Amino acid sequence: MVQEFKKVGVVGLGTMGAGIVEVFARAGFSVTGVEIDDAALDRGRGHLEKSLGRALSKGKITEEEHAAILGRLVFTTAREDLADADFVVEAVPERIDIKRDVFTDLDRICPPGTILATNTSSLSVTEIAALTNRPDKVVGLHFFNPAPVMKLAEIVGTVLTSSGTTEIASEVAKRIGKTPVVVSDRAGFVANALLVPYINDAVKAYEHKFASREEIDESVTKAAGFPMGPLTLADLVGLDVCLAVMDVLWEEFRESRYVATPLLRRMVAAGLLGRKTGRGFYDYS
Ligand code: CAA
């Protein structure tokens, strides 16, 4: 079934979307990446080409593979170009109004059998599914940053998702080299419900001057062997994403451990979102 997929669509080519396009194309799928305008399309394409160029220069892929991957990619600003897509992944900004616009369009444009997956990390997949006339074919396919590297894909089934859809999404995840974990639609799913409060605690430690940012990060990398410390990770994930996850955890469970610490909220208000804005807990400019 998944082997027969002729076209995969990815809507939204930010850091996650561009990485998701790369993952599918490297696994042999023909991928159409969709953005809202030419400037966003160029940014997404640039991100992807840089990442593929790095893989080429490191010898991870050959010149021929590089050319073949690029040959499998189409970039467009027309969602209508997904009219023959078999599987679509949405990775647009985490706002329900934007998701509504995308899913209403995809539901109208794509054939009834097309599975619509969302990479959301902080919105309810059920709420997104209910925006369509095919909620049984809507599923969460949640990647981790950087998408080409991290091996987990959370498959988020809702009370409306059919078991066939969850199975296909799991098969897709395996085909692109990820380990699927089927989880239910609750705030934070599984991985973020564990990771993001941990990041929030690290921000709290920094806010209360327990130690310097470097010492906080080293306390985890050197003590527990994590590849990066929590403040560096917050900068990678994006402080806005961390805050959004904290807020949905609080909304859903009202437990004090899910209260976002004031510094996290203030940094987001100040636009210090991490790597993507050039400054977060560390400076990247
Ligand atoms: N895109 C593509 N590839 C990348 C990359 C990127 N942005 N960043 C690193 N890589 C690749 C490198 O090319 C390199 O590949 P090879 O091994 O094939 O040469 C490999 O990853 C290792 O990279 P580096 O040697 O440059 O650096 P590193 O060893 O320090 O690893 C890291 C970087 C992979 C990011 C590692 O530090 C790590 O695993 N960090 C933890 C990341 C994490 O926890 N992510 C989950 C966040 S939670 C989330 O994303 C969910 C959400 O909804 C908020």
Side-chain angles (χ1 to χ4, degrees):
M1 170 81 183
V2 172
Q3 299 90 289
E4 291 156 20
F5 281 0
K6 298 253 179 315
K7 188 194 273 189
V8 170
V10 178
V11 182
L13 303 177
T15 312
M16 291 308 290
I20 293 167
V21 170
E22 178 180 339
V23 168
F24 274 97
R26 286 179 74 161
F29 290 97
S30 293
V31 191
T32 297
V34 186
E35 254 298 356
I36 197 80
D37 56 30
D38 288 336
L41 207 58
D42 286 347
R43 266 198 308 276
R45 195 200 322 244
H47 186 89
L48 189 143
E49 285 173 355
K50 197 169 143 200
S51 182
L52 280 179
R54 213 168 37 217
L56 177 64
S57 64
K58 281 185 172 178
K60 301 283 169 195
I61 51 173
T62 63
E63 290 276 2
E64 293 72 40
E65 283 164 340
H66 184 255
I69 294 166
L70 290 178
R72 286 196 281 275
L73 298 177
V74 171
F75 294 97
T76 178
T77 54
R79 288 179 190 158
E80 279 70 18
D81 291 348
L82 299 180
D84 56 349
D86 300 290
F87 191 90
V88 180
V89 185
E90 166 276 314
V92 302
E94 293 281 81
R95 278 182 24 204
I96 194 69
D97 56 328
I98 303 178
K99 307 275 188 196
R100 178 178 296 112
D101 181 58
V102 169
F103 275 86
T104 309
D105 268 4
L106 292 177
D107 198 25
R108 176 176 53 78
I109 293 164
C110 300
T114 304
I115 291 178
L116 306 179
T118 174
N119 181 53
T120 189
S121 54
S122 59
L123 296 171
S124 150
V125 179
T126 314
E127 205 178 321
I128 293 171
L131 298 171
T132 72
N133 293 312
R134 63 180 87 189
D136 57 315
K137 294 204 162 52
V138 177
V139 66
L141 180 59
H142 184 217
F143 291 85
F144 293 82
N145 194 350
V149 181
M150 307 317 286
K151 290 290 173 213
L152 186 73
E154 285 178 319
I155 311 296
V156 189
T158 75
V159 286
L160 301 167
T161 314
S162 73
S163 56
T165 299
T166 318
E167 276 161 28
I168 291 172
S170 297
E171 203 187 324
V172 166
K174 285 185 200 154
R175 277 289 309 277
I176 57 175
K178 304 297 180 194
T179 302
V181 174
V182 179
V183 301
S184 57
D185 185 26
R186 68 196 290 284
F189 311 135
V190 171
N192 278 345
L194 296 169
L195 267 179
V196 179
Y198 144 77
I199 289 175
N200 187 58
D201 279 344
V203 179
K204 213 180 283 179
Y206 179 61
E207 189 174 14
H208 295 299
K209 301 191 170 48
F210 288 5
S212 70
R213 58 190 181 179
E214 291 83 2
E215 287 166 330
I216 291 169
D217 275 346
E218 281 194 334
S219 299
V220 175
T221 55
K222 301 257 163 74
F226 284 27
M228 51 174 54
L231 300 177
T232 307
L233 182 58
D235 280 355
L236 175 75
V237 167
L239 273 59
D240 53 338
V241 176
C242 294
L243 179 61
V245 173
M246 284 306 292
D247 282 346
V248 291
L249 284 165
W250 167 252
E251 274 302 313
E252 191 140 294
F253 302 112
R254 301 276 163 179
E255 292 173 20
S256 59
R257 63 192 169 127
Y258 295 137
V259 175
T261 199
L263 180 63
L264 181 62
R265 201 173 292 287
R266 296 297 178 274
M267 287 181 72
V268 172
L272 304 177
L273 306 184
R275 285 193 196 188
K276 62 185 166 189
T277 58
R279 199 174 142 200
F281 292 101
Y282 296 89
D283 205 332
Y284 302 90
S285 52

